[in-house]
Amino acid sequence: MSTTPILTSPILLIEDEPSVTAFLRAALERRGYSVEDAASGAEGLEKLGGREYSGVISDIRMPGSVNGAEVHAWIQQNRPDLCTRIILISGDTANSDTQMLLKQSGTPCIEKPFRVQQLLTMVEKTFGKP
Amino acid sequence: MPRATAKSSTRLARKRANKPAPARPVLHAADELMELAVDAAHSRNLPAFLERFAQRATRMLDARWGGVMVFRGRETDLYQAGADAVDLQPSHQATLIRIGRDARRKSETLPVSFDSPLTAVGDKDGQFAEVTFVPITASDEESLGCLCLIRGRGTPSQDERHLLHALASHAALSLENFRRFSQLERSKRQWVEDIDAISDYIVVHDRSFRIVRTNRSLASYLGVPPVALVGDPMSSLRQIAETRSELPCPFCRDTQQAREEYIVASPERIFLVSTSRTPGVSDDDTRTIHVLKDMTDRREAERRYRELFDSIQEGLFFATPEGRFLDVNDAMVRMLGYDSREELLRADVSTHLYPVVAERERFFSALSKRGVLRNYEETLRRKDGTLLHTLQNITAVRDAAGKIIQIRGLMLDVTEQRTFQSQLQRERDFNQKILNTTQSMILVLDTAGLISYANRRAFESGYLEHELIGHRLVDWVEAGQREDFEAALETTAHGHQVENIELRVRRSDASMGHFSISLSPMRDEQGAVNSVVVVMTDITDAVLLQAKLAHSEKMATIGRLVSGVAHEVNNPLAAILGFTDLLLENPAIPANAREDLEIILHETQRTKDIVQDLLSFARQRPVQRELVHVNAVLRQTIKLRSYDFASHGVEVLEEFDENLAHALGDGQQLQQVFLNILNNAYDAVQEVGQRGRIAIRTSQQGSNIEVAITDNGTGVTDTERIFDPFYTTKQAAKGTGLGLSICYGIVRAHGGEILCRNNENAPGSTFIVRVPVATEAATAAAIAKEAGR
């Protein structure tokens, strides 16, 4: 665990639900991660083009033109460095499209609602410790 | 030459009279003879003339008595003069006549011996003994009579004998003339009578159109004696019949023609006028004879016949044996579709009217054989080519040799009846087929509700004839619904249709079926309802199917709803759960607040479970198609709960069909189904408190694999609603009410079915899951897929 490099760049949080964003930011910041958030997929992609991030946490189902699956696809195409540094959040993993995406990409996914510990474990495992 | 002889005799008498006569009677005789000739020429009354003749002869020959005998066959008429002078008794007359009849040849004066003496009147002494007889002989020597004189003074002188001959010649001439005249009169009278006996009207007119004669018929028609018309102008007969003749005679047309014949008609009468003109010696003699034959009755009969012939609705015809119509009536023309009688008369029967010429030959030979054909059926062809079905009555008219010379017939158009009949037959067949092949039971009830007819389907359904016919249909209806049926029957009896009432009716195997029933009234000729047609359709299966469809539709809708709700709930839930966690991590939180937070945490967890269930229920995860060994899935499932079962004393009985075929489906999902049912069964037997027992039986039922899971628990309150989402009988916090709904969705997705029923005569309930057996093709495909993986 100590070998995991200290993250210098913030984690990008893409989530349309403000209360969920607030909880995630609180949980992550309390553990020492720096967090930047985007309220939609489109905003997320804009931010991704602007600076470095140590990882991306994105909700799958979001209103607007860009959803989580598309964010995921964009990263695969344009940010190979972040390819393995994505965590998806889903309110409905039973959705067949979601299942297909997760199965094909092997991207880790955390299902709402989740415990803080579940989140931190997955973040540490995927992005490393802060 | 009787006339010449007589004349010469007269001349002779005259010559003698002109001679210087020695005796007065002779000179007197010449005048007398001249007067006699004049008298004879003018006299029309023979007896009076003969009496005068007798007087004259008596006077001329100075006789006391004179008589003229006229022979008429055996009879003799006697005309006499001088009866005042001679006392001539009948016996004397008889004697004279006998002698007179013998005196044939010449005159003679004979002594006559009478039976009693013949004396002069008033003088009994002087007797007459000699009588002079002079025969009167016709020119043809026929003895006509005899002149007889009684003189009482000896034999006549030479001059007197000449005079007697002259007188006899005059008498002969007169008698002959009278006889001819009376013959003429008689024949003329006879002719008039004959003419009068003719009922036709006869009128003769002269050149100046004056009536010369009419017969009695004509006169009596006009109400006058025949003679009254003579001399009237012919124009007075216009009242008989108004003709358009411009001549003074209404019946003359062309006076130059010797003969004319034509028909004249008045409003009342019709006459055939036959006219003959006889040219006379002079123009004045020209006679025109009109004979008017009253044709009215004949024409009327003919007109009536023609009218009947033409107005009758049946076709009538006269035809030659060769096949030409001589006459046809209008109906016949119409029937055969010709434009006119003339057109039909031109048609050749064999080729124009018979679709097959041989048929006409068949007809003719049948007629030749029998002479009369009654109700002979024949199909003819109309002018436009369409077929005409006819019924004919035919009579052959034969000549003396027996050869058919004419065919007379009456023809009925039975096309419509024929068409109607065949239509009726078709309709009847059609109805019969419907009645016999329909999947509905069709019954006919009388107004009392007794069954009088049942179609084939009713008997195929298992009902026996003696169970139905004559029995009340209402007795088959479920007791609780009989009033409904009676009400419907009553409504129908009042003439109203009752459609699709649904009633439970006892089937022939005593099971109750769900029937859709329609009742229709049937009316008699007066329009009164005399029976009711009942159409009954067993819709038990349809009702079940419909219920299932409605249920699956409901489930799908709920699924979509739940999916949306669950997703929306998860976001706030994530925040609640997350912040609660964060709060609990804070060591500064006091202990009592921490307890509250724990409760929030717990309840949030519970909410999460519920939402998870909802999502499971609603998820549209496609069924994995792979070969599934149902027994194996069941064993695995049982193993999951075996610890609980064993520790709570629940006995699990496995009655598996070890030869069970594979099912095609999703093993994991099926396991979820079985687990859910087992959990329910476990809960149910736990509740009862006695030794629980769960029996699991597998078998193959047709193309399905059937799993029956029977428990001896509490049983199910509502077996129909148990698969509805959120339906639960478990205490709060123990179940979401979605488990069996999820099972339902899974089994349906497998193309199978799941159902629940309470055990008969035993506590507890049984869940049955049926999934289809994998077909050979599906099995092969699945194996291939397995191999390729």
Side-chain angles (χ1 to χ4, degrees):
Chain A
M1 288 209 280
S2 56
T3 56
T4 310
I6 305 296
L7 297 176
T8 50
S9 310
I11 293 169
L12 179 61
L13 196 60
I14 308 175
E15 169 65 67
D16 63 305
E17 192 73 33
S19 62
V20 178
T21 306
F23 151 64
L24 287 170
R25 176 181 280 278
L28 291 169
E29 284 179 347
R30 211 172 279 185
R31 278 294 181 280
Y33 294 101
S34 68
V35 174
E36 201 166 298
D37 61 69
S40 71
E43 192 188 333
L45 292 187
E46 201 182 302
K47 291 204 164 171
L48 276 170
R51 58 164 300 176
E52 286 295 314
Y53 291 103
S54 53
V56 178
I57 298 173
S58 176
D59 193 4
I60 291 178
R61 189 163 134 172
M62 285 181 295
S65 54
V66 183
N67 62 26
E70 282 156 338
V71 169
H72 180 268
W74 189 89
I75 291 170
Q76 301 297 310
Q77 285 274 299
N78 303 294
R79 294 293 298 271
D81 56 313
L82 291 174
C83 257
T84 55
R85 305 183 75 82
I86 308 172
I87 294 171
L88 292 171
I89 307 171
S90 169
D92 178 15
T93 48
N95 182 292
S96 55
D97 288 344
T98 306
Q99 285 201 330
M100 185 83 78
L101 171 68
L102 300 180
K103 195 171 176 180
Q104 283 176 358
S105 64
T107 307
C109 177
I110 188 161
E111 212 169 325
K112 288 179 192 171
F114 47 84
R115 304 294 299 271
V116 173
Q117 201 50 54
Q118 281 176 283
L119 171 75
L120 294 176
T121 307
M122 191 170 283
V123 169
E124 260 180 38
K125 191 176 159 195
T126 313
F127 303 154
K129 286 190 176 178
Chain B
M1 293 286 194
R3 188 182 278 258
T5 309
K7 275 181 182 170
S8 67
S9 302
T10 313
R11 270 202 303 277
L12 179 69
R14 228 175 250 170
K15 200 161 69 187
R16 296 248 168 114
N18 287 343
K19 265 197 320 191
R24 216 186 123 253
V26 177
L27 282 174
H28 185 226
D31 294 336
E32 290 274 11
L33 282 176
M34 209 134 83
E35 280 174 26
L36 173 65
V38 173
D39 190 12
H42 289 96
S43 225
R44 287 288 175 271
N45 187 339
L46 186 64
F49 168 74
L50 289 175
E51 272 170 24
R52 280 198 302 278
F53 181 88
Q55 279 168 2
R56 201 180 297 273
T58 306
R59 193 163 59 238
M60 286 170 76
L61 284 153
D62 195 20
R64 304 286 294 271
W65 178 91
V68 179
M69 296 174 199
V70 176
F71 307 146
R72 276 193 300 110
R74 290 174 163 275
E75 302 287 313
T76 302
D77 298 329
L78 178 62
Y79 306 93
Q80 53 180 323
D84 53 338
V86 177
D87 186 14
L88 194 73
Q89 298 299 314
S91 66
H92 301 131
Q93 285 186 15
T95 305
L96 290 178
I97 286 171
R98 181 168 43 78
I99 297 167
R101 287 190 74 101
D102 285 340
R104 293 289 168 124
R105 296 310 304 166
K106 55 183 183 20
S107 65
E108 48 193 342
T109 304
L110 302 170
V112 175
S113 53
F114 295 103
D115 295 343
S116 60
L118 177 64
T119 61
V121 175
D123 181 7
K124 298 288 181 198
D125 301 332
Q127 288 189 10
F128 300 107
E130 281 185 319
V131 179
T132 302
F133 294 92
V134 185
I136 301 171
T137 309
S139 52
D140 59 356
E141 305 297 318
E142 186 193 344
S143 180
L144 298 173
C146 182
L147 174 62
C148 182
L149 292 168
I150 299 171
R151 301 207 304 173
R153 56 179 181 101
T155 312
S157 66
Q158 187 67 27
D159 283 340
E160 283 174 335
R161 276 207 297 278
H162 284 302
L163 189 60
L164 283 171
H165 273 289
L167 283 171
S169 293
H170 270 289
L173 191 66
S174 296
L175 278 177
E176 271 192 303
N177 281 345
F178 267 108
R179 200 155 70 173
R180 284 201 194 94
F181 182 74
S182 74
Q183 268 172 356
L184 200 66
E185 270 297 304
R186 220 177 21 251
S187 78
K188 192 172 140 193
R189 206 164 42 241
Q190 189 60 50
W191 186 81
V192 170
E193 277 171 18
D194 288 348
I195 296 290
D196 280 344
I198 294 175
S199 60
D200 299 339
Y201 303 158
I202 299 172
V203 57
V204 182
H205 66 79
D206 60 18
R207 203 163 161 269
S208 59
F209 300 106
R210 298 240 159 230
I211 296 171
V212 176
R213 166 161 289 165
T214 68
N215 70 344
R216 195 186 303 277
S217 299
L218 179 62
S220 65
Y221 175 67
L222 296 174
V224 294
V227 287
L229 293 166
V230 174
D232 283 357
M234 277 302 286
S235 58
S236 66
L237 297 184
R238 283 192 194 281
Q239 55 177 306
I240 295 176
E242 187 49 61
T243 61
R244 256 162 256 111
S245 173
E246 286 172 8
L247 293 165
C249 168
F251 307 121
C252 280
R253 288 198 174 173
D254 182 356
T255 52
Q256 298 305 306
Q257 297 289 328
R259 297 194 149 272
E260 285 187 287
E261 192 164 277
Y262 48 83
I263 285 167
V264 297
S266 74
E268 299 92 35
R269 325 235 23 110
I270 296 159
F271 295 101
L272 172 69
V273 179
S274 302
T275 301
S276 311
R277 292 191 177 82
T278 56
V281 180
S282 66
D283 278 353
D284 288 345
D285 281 353
T286 302
R287 293 281 187 272
T288 300
I289 303 151
H290 295 299
V291 178
L292 281 69
K293 194 168 191 61
D294 190 339
M295 311 269 294
T296 315
D297 290 349
R298 217 173 86 196
R299 295 283 289 198
E300 177 65 12
E302 228 172 274
R303 192 186 61 75
R304 281 185 192 156
Y305 160 77
R306 188 79 229 175
E307 205 173 85
L308 184 70
F309 187 74
D310 279 338
S311 66
I312 203 161
Q313 288 308 299
E314 287 76 26
L316 293 171
F317 65 89
F318 297 90
T320 65
E322 291 75 33
R324 286 277 170 185
F325 285 120
L326 297 167
D327 198 2
V328 292
N329 68 347
D330 293 346
M332 184 91 177
V333 175
R334 210 165 40 238
M335 232 177 248
L336 287 163
Y338 281 78
D339 295 330
S340 67
R341 182 194 303 261
E342 290 66 34
E343 191 187 19
L344 183 53
L345 292 182
R346 282 196 299 273
D348 178 65
V349 174
S350 297
T351 55
H352 287 91
L353 265 67
Y354 278 79
V356 181
V357 176
E359 285 298 298
R360 154 85 184 168
E361 284 157 18
R362 187 178 65 90
F363 157 79
F364 192 72
S365 83
L367 183 64
S368 304
K369 205 184 295 169
R370 285 183 269 163
V372 171
L373 298 176
R374 294 263 171 260
N375 295 327
Y376 187 81
E377 289 186 29
E378 191 77 279
T379 302
L380 299 178
R381 193 171 52 183
R382 291 196 188 90
K383 186 187 166 194
D384 64 5
T386 55
L387 294 181
L388 172 76
H389 296 287
T390 66
L391 207 61
Q392 303 184 24
N393 282 310
I394 309 288
T395 309
V397 179
R398 297 178 194 269
D399 64 9
K403 185 169 166 277
I404 293 179
I405 51 167
Q406 203 185 84
I407 298 166
R408 294 176 183 172
L410 182 145
M411 184 182 285
L412 290 172
D413 180 355
V414 293
T415 310
E416 217 168 285
Q417 286 96 308
R418 188 66 62 79
T419 315
F420 182 67
Q421 225 165 20
S422 65
Q423 245 174 7
L424 208 67
Q425 188 58 43
R426 267 207 304 279
E427 223 160 272
R428 200 174 297 154
D429 289 350
F430 181 64
N431 288 340
Q432 199 60 44
K433 280 204 181 81
I434 290 177
L435 277 177
N436 285 338
T437 56
T438 180
Q439 288 305 300
S440 298
M441 285 170 50
I442 297 174
L443 308 172
V444 177
L445 311 188
D446 61 19
T447 41
L450 300 179
I451 301 166
S452 60
Y453 167 86
N455 71 339
R456 191 190 293 171
R457 177 67 192 167
F459 300 117
E460 283 171 356
S461 307
Y463 292 103
L464 300 174
E465 187 163 346
H466 73 263
E467 292 177 321
L468 292 179
I469 307 299
H471 289 271
R472 282 152 50 84
L473 178 58
V474 69
D475 294 340
W476 293 87
V477 177
E478 192 177 64
Q481 294 186 312
R482 284 182 188 161
E483 271 181 35
D484 295 345
F485 180 80
E486 295 279 21
L489 198 59
E490 181 73 10
T491 305
T492 314
H494 283 90
H496 303 288
Q497 178 100 9
V498 175
E499 299 270 11
N500 297 325
I501 52 167
E502 291 186 11
L503 296 175
R504 290 173 68 77
V505 176
R506 186 155 48 90
R507 296 200 188 97
S508 56
D509 63 1
S511 65
M512 294 309 285
H514 207 96
F515 283 78
S516 169
I517 300 175
S518 293
L519 297 96
S520 315
M522 276 216 312
R523 297 166 191 277
D524 60 15
E525 292 81 5
Q526 279 76 46
V529 176
N530 63 356
S531 50
V532 174
V533 179
V534 182
V535 181
M536 299 175 57
T537 313
D538 189 336
I539 54 164
T540 313
D541 291 345
V543 166
L544 286 178
L545 187 65
Q546 202 178 11
K548 283 177 185 171
L549 276 174
H551 192 245
S552 73
E553 180 66 24
K554 186 165 70 181
M555 298 297 258
T557 308
I558 290 169
R560 283 191 296 276
L561 179 74
V562 158
S563 171
V565 169
H567 192 265
E568 288 309 312
V569 168
N570 272 338
N571 274 328
L573 218 50
I576 294 167
L577 188 61
F579 281 113
T580 309
D581 256 350
L582 289 177
L583 280 173
L584 283 170
E585 280 178 6
N586 190 346
I589 298 291
N592 55 347
R594 193 172 291 274
E595 277 170 27
D596 292 349
L597 284 171
E598 288 290 350
I599 292 168
I600 292 172
L601 188 69
H602 187 262
E603 289 306 305
T604 308
Q605 285 281 24
R606 208 180 122 215
T607 310
K608 181 193 161 184
D609 289 345
I610 292 169
V611 172
Q612 212 60 49
D613 271 357
L614 277 172
L615 284 172
S616 296
F617 163 71
R619 75 168 152 203
Q620 285 139 12
R621 207 185 102 189
V623 173
Q624 300 297 307
R625 296 284 175 184
E626 51 199 21
L627 293 177
V628 176
H629 201 289
V630 174
N631 287 350
V633 174
L634 280 167
R635 288 199 174 100
Q636 246 178 332
T637 313
I638 293 161
K639 203 185 275 176
L640 287 175
R641 297 301 310 267
S642 58
Y643 175 77
D644 279 337
F645 290 164
S647 59
H648 289 89
V650 176
E651 184 189 4
V652 176
L653 297 170
E654 293 178 19
E655 301 169 27
F656 293 169
D657 175 357
E658 295 303 338
N659 297 317
L660 208 58
H662 283 91
L664 195 63
D666 189 323
Q668 263 192 314
Q669 289 189 16
L670 287 177
Q671 184 172 2
Q672 192 183 343
V673 171
F674 298 141
L675 185 61
N676 212 310
I677 296 170
L678 279 180
N679 286 344
N680 272 318
Y682 176 75
D683 291 344
V685 295
Q686 282 297 103
E687 244 177 87
V688 172
Q690 63 188 46
R691 186 171 171 79
R693 205 176 56 137
I694 299 170
I696 304 167
R697 198 180 68 247
T698 62
S699 60
Q700 188 168 338
Q701 305 287 332
S703 58
N704 282 321
I705 288 164
E706 186 178 287
V707 179
I709 300 171
T710 305
D711 65 58
N712 60 349
T714 51
V716 175
T717 314
D718 191 338
T719 54
E720 303 280 326
R721 286 189 59 204
I722 195 161
F723 298 105
D724 282 2
F726 309 115
Y727 176 83
T728 181
T729 54
K730 294 175 184 171
Q731 38 183 279
K734 222 175 175 193
T736 59
L738 282 168
L740 285 173
S741 296
I742 294 164
C743 294
Y744 178 89
I746 292 170
V747 176
R748 296 290 296 172
H750 276 77
E753 63 178 344
I754 179 168
L755 41 107
C756 167
R757 61 172 177 239
N758 285 316
N759 300 328
E760 280 177 39
N761 310 318
S765 59
T766 300
F767 279 81
I768 293 169
V769 176
R770 294 194 185 109
V771 286
V773 169
T775 59
E776 273 178 43
T779 307
I783 288 167
K785 197 174 159 194
E786 198 89 10
R789 208 175 257 179

